[in-house]
Amino acid sequence: MQNRVRLFSLVVALGLVLGGCNSSSDNSSNPGPKPTPTVAPTIAPTPTQTATATATIAPTATPTSTPSKTGGLWVPNLFGPSVNEFDPPARAVSGNPPPQFSNESAFLLLPAGLAFDSSQNLWVSNCSDFVFGTGAIAEFTAAQLANLGSDSMPDPNTTLLDDGSLRILGCPWGEQFDATGNLWVTNRTIPNLVSYSPAQLAVGGALTPDTTITSTSFNSPRGIVFDASANLWIVENQNQQVLAYKAATLATALGHSGQVNPDIIISSSSFGDPRAIAFDGAGNLWLTDATGKLLKFAAADLAMSGTPTPTVTITATPVVTLDGIALSLDLPEGIAFDSAGNAWVANLDSDNAGSLAEFTPAQLATSGSPSPAVFLDSDIFGTNIHQPSLLTFGPIP
């Protein structure tokens, strides 16, 4: 019976999440994602076998060296649901490899965002939950992660929940820790930006966030990231903008609740369905757009509000996989840079159930449609990758 309830909750909640894929074109006053009858919407028609394929996926090589203990790529799978980790050997060759570690905790429901704290505990934002459907945040300790090989379904060590008022959490999505250990989270459907203090994180439960920021600029905030100067950047999906709160503004707002409008608002005619952002080593901002492209904005263009033109635009190209033909960028949802400056993109769709695409610094230097240096496809059952969201790099337990 519990499995039936979980499956029903998954289907309903996933429809709500994916219904927001084209929300930027909706002028409704309802800020939440709109349900659709389609579980996995398609942005562009799947290329036929006569399409020009720019890469061929060979079976993944079996690693012969000892796996590295750093640089794990952690992937939240919205529909699985699970959080899977792929180590460097698994990411070295294109294919559909199994994850090194998999967290299939029964608490996970639409896991969307990930963040590691300073103790290497993993915090997962879930867009829904099994009680109120508003979402929840779960902590899995470093010790639990180290034991995933023996227990792939751990109970969270700590959880942050709604109290039934439907005002605390509403499809929590992007999350990031600041330098002092506060956990910042975007709620897509309320919509707002909240933070939990380290003391609150130690206790858990249905707590009113230490900080709550509302804004007239919020409609459906998604991915978030801190830059090197501790400014917080937010993707506003429905309004098709990138918003920034300067470090001083956040410091003033900390511990309070109320309206605080962003210090910087970036708009662009290139935005179609913005999802997630990441900064490269030079301080340039990269944005995933679910219409099938990556956009780069120069650091110099981010100092104040404006409508800058992307300096680089990467668009989709067909990729031959073990099971058919996919697109290099197919509903790109998440992005993260590894220590070598390679960008890893999470695609919600593929010829199966999603994919991960790696682009090297050389490929990202100029606009075009490069074939990914590595393309990790889901297997036919989606057990390794299944509609991946805001992936991140972290420790390998």
Side-chain angles (χ1 to χ4, degrees):
M1 179 66 180
Q2 181 179 3
N3 289 336
R4 290 183 180 178
V5 172
R6 189 175 191 222
L7 179 59
F8 177 78
S9 300
L10 270 172
V11 172
V12 172
L14 187 65
L16 290 174
V17 172
L18 294 180
C21 287
N22 293 318
S23 59
S24 58
S25 62
D26 188 350
N27 295 321
S28 170
S29 60
N30 181 3
K34 309 298 187 297
T36 73
T38 305
V39 172
T42 301
I43 289 293
T46 301
T48 66
Q49 294 291 336
T50 59
T52 301
T54 57
T56 300
I57 300 304
T60 302
T62 301
T64 57
S65 60
T66 301
S68 169
K69 300 302 290 182
T70 60
L73 180 58
W74 293 83
V75 181
N77 291 297
L78 286 168
F79 201 26
S82 63
V83 175
N84 291 343
E85 183 270 329
F86 295 86
D87 65 348
R91 308 194 309 268
V93 182
S94 297
N96 50 18
Q100 181 187 19
F101 294 107
S102 182
N103 184 345
E104 301 173 3
S105 171
F107 188 85
L108 298 175
L109 183 60
L110 291 177
L114 307 175
F116 284 93
D117 64 22
S118 60
S119 298
Q120 299 186 347
N121 305 308
L122 178 62
W123 295 78
V124 184
S125 58
N126 297 273
C127 183
S128 190
D129 68 87
F130 298 108
V131 180
F132 302 115
T134 58
I137 299 170
E139 177 210 19
F140 298 94
T141 67
Q144 288 179 308
L145 299 181
N147 194 45
L148 284 176
S150 299
D151 180 9
S152 63
M153 299 185 67
D155 290 328
N157 179 61
T158 306
T159 56
L160 299 172
L161 308 167
D162 194 271
D163 61 1
S165 67
L166 313 184
R167 296 179 180 178
I168 296 177
L169 295 173
C171 187
W173 202 259
E175 57 174 4
Q176 291 282 301
F177 280 96
D178 65 20
T180 59
N182 299 295
L183 179 61
W184 293 86
V185 182
T186 53
N187 282 305
R188 284 181 55 187
T189 59
I190 290 180
N192 62 11
L193 170 69
V194 302
S195 76
Y196 292 89
S197 69
Q200 289 182 311
L201 297 178
V203 175
L207 305 175
T208 300
D210 178 65
T211 305
T212 299
I213 294 176
T214 58
S215 172
T216 55
S217 295
F218 290 161
N219 203 347
S220 181
R222 299 184 73 127
I224 62 176
V225 66
F226 282 98
D227 65 18
S229 299
N231 306 311
L232 182 60
W233 295 78
I234 304 171
V235 175
E236 169 44 52
N237 176 256
Q238 289 194 0
N239 292 338
Q240 299 187 38
Q241 295 173 329
V242 175
L243 316 174
Y245 286 92
K246 293 183 178 180
T249 302
L250 292 180
T252 301
L254 199 65
H256 303 283
S257 297
Q259 180 171 308
V260 182
N261 289 325
D263 297 297
I264 299 172
I265 299 177
I266 301 296
S267 303
S268 174
S269 59
S270 299
F271 293 165
D273 194 352
R275 297 302 183 91
I277 46 179
F279 285 94
D280 62 21
N284 304 302
L285 185 148
W286 287 84
L287 179 141
T288 60
D289 195 289
T291 57
K293 55 192 174 184
L294 301 181
L295 303 174
K296 173 187 173 183
F297 294 90
D301 293 332
L302 304 175
M304 62 184 66
S305 297
T307 56
T309 300
T311 57
V312 173
T313 299
I314 305 296
T315 53
T317 190
V319 178
V320 176
T321 71
L322 293 173
D323 302 307
I325 297 179
L327 291 175
S328 58
L329 297 170
D330 198 348
L331 279 170
E333 175 72 24
I335 182 171
F337 283 90
D338 64 21
S339 59
N342 303 301
W344 285 84
V345 177
N347 293 303
L348 285 175
D349 208 357
S350 74
D351 54 333
N352 289 321
S355 65
L356 308 176
E358 179 199 28
F359 298 92
T360 67
Q363 291 177 312
L364 299 175
T366 57
S367 297
S369 302
S371 176
V374 175
F375 191 81
L376 303 184
D377 195 22
S378 64
D379 57 38
I380 59 174
F381 302 106
T383 54
N384 60 341
I385 300 169
H386 205 149
Q387 294 180 333
S389 188
L390 301 180
L391 72 180
T392 192
F393 281 91
I396 299 177

